[in-house]
Amino acid sequence: MLGLYLHRDSAVHRWPAGVKMGGLLAVTAGVMTLPGAWGAALAGALGLGLLAAARLPVGRVLRELRAPVVLLTLLFGFQALLAGTGWAEAAVAVARFAALVLLATLVTLTTRVADMIDLFERVFGLLRPLGVNPAKLALMLALTIRFIPLLAEQVREVRMAQRARGVERSIAALFVPLLVKIFTMADDLAAALEARGYDPADNGR
Amino acid sequence: MIEFCSVTHAYGDRAVLSDLSFRLTERRVAILGGNGSGKSTLARLLNGLLVPTGGSVTVDGLDTRTDGRAVRRKVGFVFQNPDVQIVLPTVEEDVAFGLKARKIPKEEIARRVTAALDRHGLARYRHQPAHQMSGGEKQLLAIAGVLVLEPDHVVFDEPTTLLDLRNRRRVIETIRALPQKAVVVTHDLDMVMDFDRVLVLEDGRVVADAPPAVAVPAYVERLS
Amino acid sequence: MLSTRDLVLCALFAALLAGLGMAPPIPLGFLPVPITAQSLGVMLAGALLGAKRGGLAVLLFVLLVAAGLPLLAGGRGGVGVLMGPTGGFVLAFPVGAFVTGLLAERFATGANPLRLFGTCVVGGVAVVYAGGIPWLSLVAGLPLEKAALGSLAFVPGDLVKAGVAAVAAAAVRRAGVLPAVHA
């Protein structure tokens, strides 16, 4: 399954996922604690530096950023025009998050989905004493990726049936066969997993 | 050898199979029967996916009720719809799934996956997502995922029902070439003509049990 | 402990959520904004799978979004979306499914669509907004009440979705394919 990852030969791409996510968390905490616009300015500069270092096409990065930036600008305009007060605080908040969203987007564009999922598994592994089983989580994530094209196809069929009949009120009725099918598929898939030797009581890796 | 001893099976109060007793020792056994005859249930009893509500099923002396795990190692199962059998995103990962569940060392998994993909003509799809394959290729992938585990017996539940003619041929050839013993639940009369034994199931009972030359015409007659 | 079937069901519902995001938005004549069906999946997961499995299913979905799969409506995904102005709504999805499930297990175990509608409104709408609005307020530097006001435009659509989810969930329960929700 293709993620948003954009391959380039850069040091930023080669940094481990854990370093990038940990760094993002640290920068976020820093930006939120630094007073005024200082945090936003530093994070913004860091973001632009990393953008250059990662050799990503600027147009593509901007496209990822467009939706949140447009929304933030609208909200800010709304705030400044209608409320009249507090716009300086709002400007700082918007600048902070614009910079953080840029950094976060860079993390996503430079990290493979598989590496990110590995990281999640390791993080959830820390919760093992609480009864969390990272192997099960990993299996569920892989199963989900496998089923997405199947379910996307099924949803498309439901939407086509809806359009073909021209009914808007019976959307619920159209989803029922799909949901029932999911439950019967679950029976078969569970049987298939166990037929191939999967044991749900197995806690190891 | 797979042995059924006075097997009955019911879902709640709906009886599906009643008092079946037989021993399967032949290399190729077919189970024929119409919709609702109980043949899918019978197939799932063969490897312990279901345990009978009455009587017992044993595989090489192992009871499916008490040794389910060991039985599933001995008996591979191929489902009718490969979409519910392929569980991981890429071809390679999916074939490796059962091997990983058995905690086989990585190098050996890689070797066996390569061999299985080569044998079933799937090598060029190795790193591709399974959902991009055709129906027939998916069925071959599902079969590869079972055979890579080297079971002693393989059960097929209507393996050709959803396939077009060409892919049906490929699957039939694959089954024909299996070194293992195979039990095939099917409507596909052509496929079973060179089998050793055919059981015909009707309303949860065996109504014919003979070589195909005898059992298949009897089945066709009952249908008409 | 989660059975094999539970694992599969969670994965299937997570995939359903992704599939719903890929479908084009449904235009409804009387609403200004077309509704995306994704939060419908959140409510369905809670109502049909219960608190634990429903919440887990939606968590899987959010993890895959965070991992960089473009599964949110409009083909968006990645950590950036989660940190952006609407990120709070997405992060609240798993909690919303969990609460929907919790309420369904207590108050709507049958196939009564009205009771199911109530659980979907509380879990799938109120809880999700309770997560989304403070986040929006923080990100955009808006006072809380303004952020809430701005989100009001989406409430009618979400109520319609709660209705759809309730009717569909009731019908699925009548179909008798569900295992006991409490098991």
Side-chain angles (χ1 to χ4, degrees):
Chain A
M1 173 116 208
L2 286 179
L4 297 161
Y5 173 77
L6 257 184
H7 186 70
R8 288 290 182 280
D9 185 21
S10 90
V12 183
H13 283 75
R14 283 188 295 270
W15 290 343
V19 169
K20 283 184 259 192
M21 286 297 278
L24 182 62
L25 278 178
V27 172
T28 305
V31 167
M32 301 311 282
T33 45
L34 278 177
W38 278 109
L42 286 176
L46 179 62
L48 292 176
L50 288 175
L51 175 61
R55 303 184 189 173
L56 293 169
V58 177
R60 175 64 205 283
V61 179
L62 286 179
R63 205 170 67 210
E64 289 299 323
L65 292 173
R66 198 174 53 201
V69 166
V70 165
L71 187 53
L72 280 175
T73 313
L74 276 176
L75 287 169
F76 177 67
F78 179 72
Q79 169 87 340
L81 283 176
L82 295 181
T85 55
W87 66 270
E89 290 84 0
V92 170
V94 167
R96 276 176 173 170
F97 275 90
L100 290 177
V101 168
L102 169 65
L103 283 171
T105 304
L106 291 177
V107 171
T108 295
L109 291 175
T110 60
T111 313
R112 284 177 209 277
V113 173
D115 295 339
M116 206 67 117
I117 288 177
D118 280 347
L119 173 67
F120 294 161
E121 280 170 45
R122 268 178 285 141
V123 171
F124 278 90
L126 302 175
L127 302 178
R128 212 187 257 276
L130 299 176
V132 173
N133 180 341
K136 271 187 182 169
L137 184 84
L139 176 60
M140 280 190 284
L141 287 170
L143 287 168
T144 307
I145 294 175
R146 152 79 185 126
F147 299 150
I148 286 171
L150 284 181
L151 269 295
E153 179 63 37
Q154 305 276 346
V155 171
R156 252 196 307 279
E157 278 173 25
V158 169
R159 295 282 284 115
M160 252 143 62
Q162 187 220 343
R163 218 168 304 158
R165 295 194 208 169
V167 281
E168 289 176 347
R169 289 180 158 263
S170 65
I171 300 173
L174 289 168
F175 272 111
V176 174
L178 169 55
L179 292 165
V180 170
K181 193 171 175 186
I182 287 178
F183 282 94
T184 51
M185 268 177 84
D187 290 336
D188 290 344
L189 280 161
L193 285 170
E194 291 186 357
R196 284 164 78 186
Y198 178 72
D199 183 356
D202 196 346
N203 272 307
R205 291 215 65 178
Chain B
M1 183 186 69
I2 301 180
E3 183 167 14
F4 273 50
C5 251
S6 330
V7 168
T8 49
H9 196 77
Y11 297 103
D13 50 8
R14 189 168 58 92
V16 185
L17 296 175
S18 43
D19 199 24
L20 298 182
S21 294
F22 50 77
R23 289 175 175 195
L24 305 179
T25 51
E26 294 79 4
R27 266 192 81 236
R28 294 288 176 267
V29 178
I31 296 173
L32 297 178
N35 297 327
S37 60
K39 60 187 190 317
S40 269
T41 302
L42 196 157
R44 282 165 169 71
L45 289 168
L46 290 169
N47 81 331
L49 277 176
L50 286 176
V51 290
T53 46
S56 69
V57 177
T58 55
V59 177
D60 299 336
L62 295 165
D63 191 315
T64 58
R65 191 173 282 122
T66 50
D67 303 305
R69 234 189 138 177
V71 168
R72 282 196 285 277
R73 278 185 176 228
K74 278 186 169 290
V75 187
F77 196 103
V78 177
F79 291 75
Q80 174 181 3
N81 180 358
D83 268 335
V84 301
Q85 175 151 12
I86 300 167
V87 293
L88 294 186
T90 67
V91 169
E92 178 179 34
E93 288 172 289
D94 187 71
V95 174
F97 174 80
L99 297 168
K100 266 191 174 165
R102 287 192 191 170
K103 304 200 167 31
I104 287 169
K106 265 194 179 143
E107 310 77 58
E108 195 187 336
I109 291 181
R111 196 166 43 73
R112 280 166 74 167
V113 169
T114 305
L117 291 176
D118 285 342
R119 197 174 323 123
H120 297 283
L122 299 169
R124 68 202 157 103
Y125 297 113
R126 183 165 192 150
H127 300 288
Q128 279 188 24
H131 74 92
Q132 288 175 354
M133 302 169 94
S134 73
E137 289 160 347
K138 280 186 194 169
Q139 189 60 285
L140 289 171
L141 169 58
I143 292 173
V146 171
L147 294 183
V148 76
L149 300 170
E150 296 170 0
D152 298 333
H153 311 258
V154 189
V155 178
F156 293 86
D157 185 7
E158 304 197 31
T160 57
T161 305
L162 300 174
L163 302 183
D164 64 23
L165 270 179
R166 194 174 56 88
N167 285 310
R168 182 173 151 259
R169 281 254 73 82
R170 277 176 82 181
V171 168
I172 289 176
E173 287 309 320
T174 304
I175 294 174
R176 198 164 275 160
L178 281 185
Q180 286 100 335
K181 290 181 178 172
V183 180
V184 185
V185 170
T186 185
H187 294 295
D188 196 331
L189 299 182
D190 296 343
M191 169 163 52
V192 309
M193 287 319 287
D194 63 349
F195 275 35
D196 304 309
R197 181 177 173 188
V198 176
L199 303 183
V200 178
L201 213 59
E202 201 176 280
D203 293 331
R205 289 167 207 282
V206 176
V207 293
D209 182 354
V214 179
V216 171
Y219 174 64
V220 172
E221 193 156 311
R222 281 180 167 271
L223 281 183
S224 53
Chain C
M1 193 195 67
L2 292 168
S3 71
T4 309
R5 192 169 181 279
D6 291 337
L7 301 183
V8 172
L9 271 176
C10 289
L12 281 168
F13 269 82
L16 173 66
L17 229 67
L20 288 170
M22 289 173 193
I26 306 169
L28 285 178
F30 58 95
L31 288 178
V33 269
I35 65 174
T36 58
Q38 223 140 29
S39 60
L40 182 65
V42 173
M43 301 181 216
L44 285 170
L48 291 172
L49 298 183
K52 187 178 172 192
R53 293 178 300 177
L56 186 55
V58 181
L59 179 66
L60 290 174
F61 170 77
V62 174
L63 283 177
L64 289 176
V65 168
L69 290 181
L71 301 179
L72 290 170
R76 300 192 309 130
V79 211
V81 180
L82 299 179
M83 293 194 83
T86 54
F89 292 95
V90 180
L91 290 169
F93 276 175
V95 188
F98 182 85
V99 173
T100 305
L102 209 61
L103 293 172
E105 286 166 9
R106 292 277 158 79
F107 305 113
T109 47
N112 181 339
L114 271 181
R115 283 170 169 254
L116 283 164
F117 178 71
T119 66
C120 289
V121 169
V122 177
V125 185
V127 170
V128 171
Y129 280 62
I133 290 171
W135 186 268
L136 177 63
S137 140
L138 181 72
V139 174
L142 282 172
L144 208 53
E145 65 276 10
K146 294 240 173 58
L149 203 66
S151 309
L152 268 181
F154 299 94
V155 170
D158 279 330
L159 291 178
V160 171
K161 275 181 269 185
V164 171
V167 172
V172 173
R173 287 199 173 169
R174 274 196 303 275
V177 284
L178 252 64
V181 177
H182 306 281

